[in-house]
Every structure is written in structure tokens, then in C-alpha cells.
Amino acid sequence: MASPALPPLADLLAAAHVVSLPLTTRFRRIDTREAVVFRGPEGSTEFSPFVEYGDDEAATWLGAAIDFGWRAQPSPLRDRIRVNATVPAVDASRVPEILALYDGCRTAKVKVAEAGQVLADDVARVRAVRAELGAEGRIRVDANGGWNVDEAEHAIHALAEFDLEYVEQPCASIAELAELRVRLHDWDIPIAADESVRRAEDPLEVARAGAADLLVIKAQPLGGVHSALDIVRDAGLPVVVSSALDTSVGLSMGAWLAASIPSLDFDCGLGTASLLAADVTARPVRAVGGFIEVERVELGDALLAQHAASAERDAWWRARITRCYELLSARS
């Protein structure tokens, strides 16, 4: 699909608001989430690649922001999306507190393989989640590529008693995922790929390699709703739409993507506004009865001012937008 024309850089910068939002609990080793939100012609949109990402990768996220804010979106096929709870790598004793943030969610994604922790921590955390959700609840674990193949096999066997729905990105490379999938064949535990899709030069490689049973799709890292829909269609695998610790604006982009996919068999990872202690809208995109609504988010001026990033961080993000814009211009 040809890339649409980019809006002028001056328009992007004029519409940008850089915010710094505190988290309710430490996640991905950060305590605050920085993001840029814009008011575009089509509605609010977001640019929030993690600060450690290079410009080439971050430029794709800027393309997503432009896609959602400056381009008409597909007509949604549903008006609400069932979402999962997300449990960070907390002590097992905090699991009830975390799950209480997600109203009515029947599924929980549990972070495992955290640096500085051991398998016993993961087992205790997942056991606590199973106790809270009961036998009918659905549990998926996410290792963020933190295990090698042997470690992953051992860990998954240890966690299998909790009836896992799937294991997300247990190993970092596609080759490792493929080998692990063979080893787990008789265990009937599906493998989901996340980083092997959103951080890959070719997001379809993992599907072609037979290295995953399903794909975790995120709107921002894949260049926006239109681009992500192309990947879903071409991959031919079941998908879960998830977020990258977005503000409610980014979550609305993810919800729009999820609502545009014809077959959506898994609860989506779009309830993560509950991990934010503050947001950019008076009506955060949070789970109610296990669902979020598919709708555009209205930015709150008072909240943008209250959580505005420092002058130094504001300048850093605007310089990043400028560099990424130049890369997008070269691509198109």
C-alpha cells in the first residue's frame, strides 16, 4: 500500500503535547511513561516509542500517529473489545491488588522472566493469579524474550499446571521460537510472537517460519491501523491486539485496530490504562465489565497542562519527532 502524504512537520509540532505520566506500579523497569499526543484532523493520536528505541524504529511509530490522526480509519466491525488484565512482575502478594484494577476481566497476562527474579517468583505469581481468577479464568504469560530455549522449556513445564492459554515471546529469536514450538508439540501450549513481529524488519517472517501459533499485534510499532491490518491479513494466523503501555489515546488506536479485524478470538491487551496513575483524558480507556469501548478520545487541556513534561524532555521529544519525520519523508 502506498504511503499517504505526510502533513507538514510544522503542523505536527504545533499539535504536539509532550506528557509524563506516573505509573501505579513499576513496569518495564520504568515508573513514568512519556508520550506525545496530538490533535489531528481525524482526532487525537499518539507517538510514544520507548526512549531507548532508535530513530529508525521510532519513525514507524510516528507513521502510526499520522495514520490515526491525519487519515480516515476503516469502519469498525464491533463497538467494544474484550480485554485482559496485565500483571507486572510484582510479588505474588500484590496480585489481588493488581487484578482489582481491571473490572470484569476474565483473562490475565502475567509478566515472567523478569531480570533479577527466579522461576519460583514466576510460579508464585501465576499461582496467585489462578487463585484469583478461578478455574474458568484464562492465563497467558509473557517472557519478553527473556529465556533461552532450555530455560523456556523448563519454565513452561513448571507453569503448565496453571492451564496456560499461551506463552508470549518466550525466546528472543525466531529460530529459538521454532525450536521451542517443536519441543512443546505434545504439551499443546501455543506460542505467541510479539517482539518477533513488532521489532522485526520483516514482521511476517515469524509466520512463514512456522515459529508461532498466533501473533501479538500492536498498532503503533507496526505503523498504524492500516499497516497492521495488512500484516494480519497476510500472516494468516490468529492475532491478539495489544498495547505498548500507551496512554488512552494510543489504546483507542489499538481498539480501532481490534475492531477492524474480522476474526478476533482472543481477549486483547488493551486494558493497560489501569497501569497509569494519570492520563490525558477525563474518560480513560479502562475496562468496564471486561470490555473497552471503540471510540475517539478527547484530550483534556487541564490534564495536558498538569502532566506536561519538563522543558528539557519536551525539547528532546520534539527533536525526536523532527528526526523521525525526516526518515518517514525519505521512505515515502
Side-chain angles (χ1 to χ4, degrees), residues 248-303:
S248 282
V249 174
L251 292 174
S252 71
M253 188 192 306
W256 209 285
L257 169 59
S260 303
I261 295 172
S263 180
L264 197 65
D265 299 326
F266 293 89
D267 297 351
C268 290
L270 298 170
T272 51
S274 293
L275 295 174
L276 300 174
D279 212 323
V280 295
T281 177
R283 296 182 60 226
V285 179
R286 294 192 177 188
V288 177
F291 292 86
I292 61 169
E293 301 297 318
V294 180
E295 59 186 1
R296 288 282 186 171
V297 167
E298 293 293 328
L299 296 173
D301 289 332
L303 290 168

Side-chain angles (χ1 to χ4, degrees), residues 154-282:
H154 176 63
I156 292 168
H157 287 174
L159 295 167
E161 66 173 287
F162 304 113
D163 188 22
L164 301 180
E165 183 180 39
Y166 62 76
V167 180
E168 181 175 329
Q169 201 70 44
C171 305
S173 74
I174 291 175
E176 288 175 314
L177 293 181
E179 180 181 346
L180 179 64
R181 191 162 175 249
V182 171
R183 292 194 192 186
L184 294 176
H185 180 268
D186 293 336
W187 286 76
D188 194 28
I189 298 176
I191 299 296
D194 175 10
E195 286 87 347
S196 292
V197 178
R198 65 180 170 88
R199 302 199 71 180
E201 290 186 12
D202 179 359
L204 294 174
E205 182 183 356
V206 68
R208 287 196 298 268
D213 299 282
L214 63 150
L215 305 182
V216 178
I217 300 294
K218 298 180 179 178
Q220 281 205 77
L222 294 176
V225 172
H226 292 92
S227 175
L229 285 174
D230 288 343
I231 291 168
V232 171
R233 181 194 65 236
D234 294 342
L237 290 175
V239 300
V240 178
V241 179
S242 193
S243 73
L245 196 57
D246 305 344
T247 78
S248 282
V249 174
L251 292 174
S252 71
M253 188 192 306
W256 209 285
L257 169 59
S260 303
I261 295 172
S263 180
L264 197 65
D265 299 326
F266 293 89
D267 297 351
C268 290
L270 298 170
T272 51
S274 293
L275 295 174
L276 300 174
D279 212 323
V280 295
T281 177

